[in-house]
Amino acid sequence: MKVVNKGIDKLDAMSLVTGKPVYTDDIAPENCLIVKVLRSPHAYAKILSIIIDKALKVPGIECILTYQDVPQKRFTMAGQSYPEPSPYDRLILDEYVRYVGDPVVIVAGVNVKAVNKALKLIKVNYEVLKPILNMEEAIDNSIVIHSEDDYHLNFDIGNDVKRNLCASGSFKSGNVDEELKSCHVVVDEQYHTKANNQAMMETFSTYTYLDYNGRVNIITSTQIPFHVRRIVAKALDIPKTKVRVIKPRIGGGFGAKQTVVSEIFPAIVTMKTGKPAKMIFNRFETFCASTSRHEMKIRIKLGADKEGNIKAISIYTLSNTGAYGEHGPTTVGLSGHKTMTLYNKASSFKFDYDVVYTNTMSAGAFRGYGATQGAFALESAINELAVKLNMDPIELRQKNLLEEGDIMTTYYGETLTSCNLDNCINKGKELVGWNEKYPYRRISDSKVRSVGVAITMQGSGISGIDMASVQIRLNDDGYYTLLIGATDMGTGCDTILAQMAAECLECNMDQIVVNGVDTDQSPYDSGSYASSTTYITGMSVVKACNKLIEQMIVEASKILIVQKETLEFDGQKIYNSEKSITLDKLAQKLVVGDGNYLMANASHSSLSSPPPFMAGFVEIELDTQTGKIDIIDFFGIVDCGTTINPKLAKIQVEGGIVQGIGMALYEEVSYSTTGKMMNNSFMQYKIPSRLDIGNIHVNFESSYEPTGPFGAKSIGEVVINTPCPAIAHAVYNAVGVNIRSLPITSEKILLSIINSR
Amino acid sequence: MQIKCTINNRIFVEDIQVDMLLIDFLRHLGFLSVKRGCDTANCGLCTVWIDNKTVLSCSILAVSVNEKHVTTLEGIQDEAIEFGKFIASEGAEQCGYCSPGFIMNVLAMKRELVNPTEDSIKHYLSGNLCRCTGYMGQLRAIKKFLNATRGGCLSESS
Amino acid sequence: MFTLKDYIVPESIEEASQLLNQNRNNVILGGLLWLKMGNKNYNKGIDLSKLGLNTIIENESSIEIGCMVTLRQIEISKVLNTYFNSLLVKSVKNIVGVQFRNCATVGGSVYSRFGFSDLLTALLALDTHVHLFHGGVIPLEEFINMTYKKDILIKIIINKDTRKASYQSHRKSATDLPVLAVAISRYNSHWKISIGARPNKAMIALKSSELLSHRPDQIESACNQAVSEMKFGTNIRGSAEYRRELAKVLIRRGVEEICR
């Protein structure tokens, strides 16, 4: 391969590193109305009255909207393919507010000062209601969070909204309870993962305007332009034809922008006023009025025989979806299906779950999407099982590992078509120096060095649902335009998709033009989430390019007057043993006179979602007197199939591991006793700095995925899953305490050490 | 209030509100490389130089740069390109949103520290957050850049 | 978002003081880092940058740090890297980042008397006075516990003794505010143990310091004494219980470092 599997620079790199104005707020016109939202100070309340008279008189205020001024059609903000599994439990503005931060009034004015002043002058009278803040108290509580009559579900998700149950379900294979009885050792523990914030550097940003056709144009930092089009049209109760969505460069997403967070507010202001409007979330709002990772409590029962053959795995997950159900019914599934599948050899499996409403900020999508939470639980339990068996945790895993060709009972019955996890483990074991370092070495009176391990899997797109279409055009002079609907959010998908096109078309990268997404121009794509872009959109690129080559050969055969079956294309020319036409010439001829401008379209979806795999190994130094953890080294060994761009894939792994380290050690969205988020800034919610991460080392042990483009699977999400369980394991190996509740703070470690004395 | 200042070697005389922050002033004038990532002076995205000192433009009143020299990434494009190529060749710009502030601080570091160790590089840049890259690619780029552009940094960490 | 109606750069400290007292809502501008996070409406903002208060001066018997000196100036100051085992340098170097420390001022940090202040914890372990325009020169310990009167903190004066010192802090992440901060010093045989971020503002553990001064071998007792004589609380960064455990460890480490 000439272009694929090469570390090519991102197409947009130089404009990003030179600070060009390419993000939403950079390109918004100066005359946009500034849109801000007055937010609820209460976790649960009914609005009795809103007095806006004084605010309306502030010079420069153009529009103030309360729940009485907006369409009352419920929708979900979750960016999912229609019909969405998430309940329709939202209004743009509602008579009830269900968490601290829920929008109450939309204010738009000509400048920030006027809007801020107006916000201060609005008086809202609330009937304050008692909230549910603890997810374990949600089911069958006398307080009901969603009692609206028009609450709507698209299909059965095991919902019972009167019980605050957003979704529930179960899966079973074999008889876990019977099997556990006959097991030699059983681990039965509960693990608690917390809400985290995605914390992408660019906050939610949108601007809107009406074009000459009276359509609302939405320029927004999103992972899901096509879902935004549908959801905004629904929320505003206008036809989809009246909405156009454009995605410029995005300053990161990590799932946060797989939900419609900022788009609706300026859109409705533009609809009401006819004027351009913009809403740039500040960091406080980005923390406390968006969506977080789902907090989960996961009970694992795990049984094995004397020899360490895992017989039974049972998982019960209680997931907190917060005030609204965005992604609630879907994230929870991954906590079971994308964890226990690793131990596919077991004879019985059970997975039950409940997803509950509480009066905290809605949870949503965040890299890993439930698999991360599940990985902490199950991988921790596996490590605890190894202790009980007195067995090396690596040996235990390798003994029970799934293998290529397996039918994966707990993974929708799919057959595993590519897997190199065993070698990932071997490689990591060697690199970290497991044999010398496991379980720990004492460095001094107060310092211990130890190692820990975890393995994980994710998926590649949502099977049978995610869909990507691509168009490739042959332009005059023989260069190509690649039109995609997938959204590069900094990951470099524009570049890797162009690499695939260049590989298919046997040309250089500079012969391919890729554009950002515009729903008026770009072909449909469900969006960049669920680790789908490389695998799903990539395959669509391959299909489209092959079609285009066929078309070029047909046209060349007409010009050369030869049988098309005799012709071949080598990237430069189309030829047979006698005749030849260069690509340039062909392209020029096709756009003159009775030419035929060539455009090839293809769509792709996949009936399987082949899992990428990763083994994570960590070495930490633990201060046994303060509980402080220093990460020394983290080794991530990944099987993502063929790496389309090894350089960008490596950065994905490094970035994912560091996010995982933050989640493991200190990231935690915390609420006060009245439901107010206590850490809604980078001062109080710390994400790792470059001083906090030790050294990250990345290796690839690639398999070849036959259903993926050039053998590729996915990489975006699998990389965040191993740090939590691996670090928890290292802590156990250092000081003998199991921290089963994230984050693994120094405080928890030290107090556990003291308590275990 | 009227102020006169130099931004990227060009003189500006502007009448501004006294509570306008430097970041908003700069963006208003079209220096859009300056990004806002937080409201608590904790992310480093808005980094610019005042009289060649690296500062957070979110925490400075625009009126206080009266008679001073402000530098943004727009003013040092040649250096941005030179270092940016090292970043790009590691794939370490990713979403790019933190790049301008980060690059401003790297270039300030290059002026201030002589042959920095890996540890002193990390220390100098610890106020520049990045959520995409995990920082390793940035460090690789900095080391290659420093090695290529002058005696470079000590490779062993202290 | 804070608002400000007027901005003035006075030419003399007298003028600054006069401006400050003209209106309840007039305010001295430090590094703006904390002020801008508030929602207050101020009248006049007074910028002291033209008063030559941005220098660190080494005298015969003292080191004077002007109120407009930045935390970064402290960090790279030759004299402060020489004295007290670089105590002040160590106390500021974890604060967010270089750009932040280039903005944050000593005056702002000390005048605000924040509980989490690393610098205040460290200064307290030295023989430190503050020079207030109206209040005159008073010991830092006294200033810390004074009510917030409108005055201008002109400079910090540190007695240049041959004190040995140690700075110890625990942070959840490298650039976070401390969960607990401990500064310890020994001058001749006299010990001073300052504990900050309890999470309340720094204080000297008087009895513990005295105990150690009389019985320098009784480190364990001094640690326990400090924990029992001081109040520790719980906030988002840690519990009182954990802070008490940390205090014992960090005091012991500080004392041992000085004795080494």
Side-chain angles (χ1 to χ4, degrees), chain A residues 9-10 13 17-18 20 23 26 113 197-199 283-284 490 647 652 654-655 659 667 686 688 690 693, chain B residues 19 27 35 37 39 42 73 77 88-90 93-97 103 125 128 131-132 134-135 138 140:
Chain A
D9 291 1
K10 272 175 62 197
V17 296
T18 53
K20 294 292 178 289
Y23 303 92
D26 300 341
K113 277 205 161 174
N197 193 280
Q198 299 88 346
R283 183 58 64 181
F284 298 120
K647 178 168 91 185
Q652 283 294 308
E654 290 169 343
Q659 284 185 358
E667 288 188 39
K686 299 300 281 190
R690 67 192 74 229
I693 55 169
Chain B
D19 51 7
R27 286 188 62 86
K35 297 288 187 274
D39 313 296
N42 272 254
L73 199 63
Q77 284 287 292
S89 74
E90 296 295 334
E93 75 287 359
Q94 282 288 292
C95 85
Y97 205 71
I103 294 171
L125 301 173
N128 289 90
R131 190 61 156 172
C132 293
Y135 304 111
Q138 292 183 346
R140 289 191 291 273

Side-chain angles (χ1 to χ4, degrees), chain A residues 427-666:
Chain A
K427 186 75 183 175
K429 185 180 174 182
E430 173 200 324
L431 289 171
V432 78
W434 187 264
N435 292 341
E436 302 79 55
K437 292 177 179 171
Y438 174 76
Y440 76 95
R441 295 170 298 152
R442 185 161 282 285
I443 301 295
S444 70
D445 282 356
S446 60
K447 295 281 172 70
V448 173
R449 281 204 181 191
S450 63
V451 288
V453 62
I455 58 173
T456 190
M457 61 183 277
Q458 197 83 30
S460 303
I462 307 171
S463 47
I465 291 178
D466 281 349
M467 189 273 198
S469 48
V470 157
Q471 184 179 72
I472 185 137
R473 301 172 178 170
L474 173 66
N475 299 305
D476 48 326
D477 284 340
Y479 72 96
Y480 307 94
T481 305
L482 178 64
L483 291 161
I484 56 169
T487 46
D488 194 332
M489 55 186 128
T491 49
C493 81
D494 287 1
T495 307
I496 62 148
L497 294 171
Q499 280 180 260
M500 293 189 213
E503 188 70 44
C504 294
L505 297 164
E506 299 184 56
C507 66
N508 295 323
M509 284 291 282
D510 55 16
Q511 278 173 269
I512 312 262
V513 174
V514 194
N515 221 334
V517 183
D518 172 348
T519 56
D520 276 5
Q521 314 286 345
S522 311
Y524 188 90
D525 193 297
S526 39
S528 286
Y529 58 86
S531 295
S532 64
T533 304
T534 301
Y535 179 72
I536 302 283
T537 313
M539 207 60 193
S540 199
V541 168
V542 172
K543 283 183 180 176
C545 290
N546 290 338
K547 275 190 188 173
L548 183 68
I549 293 170
E550 278 175 40
Q551 291 181 22
M552 292 191 300
I553 287 178
V554 168
E555 294 302 324
S557 76
K558 290 181 196 162
I559 294 166
L560 298 173
I561 319 173
V562 296
Q563 289 282 311
K564 67 177 168 37
E565 289 76 14
T566 65
L567 289 172
E568 280 184 66
F569 174 59
D570 69 357
Q572 313 290 320
K573 59 185 185 301
I574 294 168
Y575 64 97
N576 64 14
S577 50
E578 288 150 16
K579 288 182 174 174
S580 171
I581 182 168
T582 64
L583 183 64
D584 288 9
K585 201 152 201 184
L586 173 69
Q588 282 160 11
K589 275 186 180 287
L590 291 175
V591 295
V592 177
D594 65 347
N596 180 12
Y597 185 61
L598 297 186
M599 298 176 278
N601 301 309
S603 294
H604 186 70
S605 73
S606 175
L607 289 173
S608 67
S609 176
F613 298 96
M614 175 167 163
F617 290 79
V618 70
E619 181 175 8
I620 63 166
E621 184 168 294
L622 201 153
D623 184 329
T624 56
Q625 295 171 347
T626 64
K628 186 171 190 297
I629 295 176
D630 283 321
I631 307 285
I632 305 298
D633 286 299
F634 199 106
F635 295 89
I637 298 87
V638 182
D639 166 20
C640 59
T642 303
T643 51
I644 303 297
N645 186 323
K647 178 168 91 185
L648 297 178
K650 183 177 184 176
I651 295 278
Q652 283 294 308
V653 185
E654 290 169 343
I657 288 171
V658 168
Q659 284 185 358
I661 289 173
M663 179 182 178
L665 296 184
Y666 33 77

Side-chain angles (χ1 to χ4, degrees), chain A residues 147-163:
Chain A
S147 54
E148 61 269 23
D149 298 332
D150 52 348
Y151 183 94
H152 174 78
L153 300 167
N154 284 319
F155 47 85
D156 181 16
I157 51 170
N159 172 289
D160 192 347
V161 71
K162 299 287 173 276
R163 300 179 61 208

Side-chain angles (χ1 to χ4, degrees), chain A residues 108-152:
Chain A
V110 294
N111 60 50
V112 176
K113 277 205 161 174
V115 175
N116 281 340
K117 193 167 180 192
L119 285 168
K120 281 188 182 173
L121 292 170
I122 294 169
K123 280 261 176 307
V124 185
N125 292 310
Y126 296 96
E127 179 192 345
V128 178
L129 305 170
K130 193 166 179 267
I132 303 173
L133 298 172
N134 181 340
M135 69 164 159
E136 284 184 300
E137 293 165 7
I139 294 179
D140 295 329
N141 198 304
S142 60
I143 301 161
V144 176
I145 294 173
H146 285 278
S147 54
E148 61 269 23
D149 298 332
D150 52 348
Y151 183 94
H152 174 78

Side-chain angles (χ1 to χ4, degrees), chain C residues 52-221:
Chain C
L53 297 171
N54 61 341
T55 51
I56 299 170
I57 299 167
E58 186 180 6
N59 295 324
E60 190 81 1
S61 62
S62 67
I63 299 166
E64 297 188 359
I65 307 175
C67 65
M68 294 303 279
V69 165
T70 66
L71 302 189
R72 177 69 177 164
Q73 277 176 276
I74 289 187
E75 187 184 358
I76 57 179
S77 151
K78 247 195 182 138
V79 54
L80 294 176
N81 271 287
T82 310
Y83 279 87
F84 320 121
N85 308 88
S86 311
L87 177 77
L88 296 186
V89 175
K90 288 175 189 163
S91 78
V92 298
K93 69 173 201 182
N94 289 315
I95 300 172
V96 188
V98 166
Q99 308 97 305
F100 186 101
R101 298 195 293 277
N102 266 333
C103 295
T105 60
V106 168
S109 299
V110 174
Y111 186 83
S112 310
R113 286 160 274 181
F114 291 120
F116 51 73
S117 176
D118 288 288
L119 182 62
L120 207 58
T121 307
L123 284 170
L124 206 51
L126 304 177
D127 184 2
T128 307
H129 287 72
V130 297
H131 182 177
L132 302 166
F133 181 70
H134 282 292
V137 177
I138 57 170
L140 177 65
E141 248 179 288
E142 192 180 314
F143 175 72
I144 278 189
N145 296 311
M146 268 167 46
T147 49
Y148 285 76
K149 276 187 230 157
K150 268 211 163 168
D151 203 343
I152 299 175
L153 194 162
I154 299 172
K155 61 189 171 192
I156 306 289
I157 305 158
I158 305 167
N159 191 11
K160 215 172 70 178
D161 50 30
T162 54
R163 191 178 295 265
K164 285 190 82 176
S166 168
Y167 194 75
Q168 306 281 333
S169 72
H170 177 77
R171 303 171 124 81
K172 293 178 93 167
S173 65
T175 60
D176 193 10
L177 300 172
V179 178
L180 195 80
V182 173
I184 300 181
S185 73
R186 185 184 65 191
Y187 179 52
N188 294 331
S189 62
H190 183 72
W191 288 83
K192 246 181 160 183
I193 300 171
S194 161
I195 309 181
R198 296 169 295 114
N200 288 337
K201 65 190 166 198
M203 272 176 68
I204 297 289
L206 287 170
K207 288 182 189 164
S208 171
S209 301
E210 200 166 316
L211 193 157
L212 204 59
S213 302
H214 288 109
R215 294 291 307 273
D217 56 323
Q218 296 282 313
I219 300 175
E220 214 58 51
S221 311

Side-chain angles (χ1 to χ4, degrees), chain A residues 623 625-626 683-684 692 747, chain C residues 172 174 237-239 242 253:
Chain A
D623 184 329
Q625 295 171 347
T626 64
M683 184 168 62
Q684 305 295 10
D692 297 305
E747 170 161 356
Chain C
K172 293 178 93 167
R237 287 185 170 73
S239 69
Y242 181 52
R253 287 184 182 175

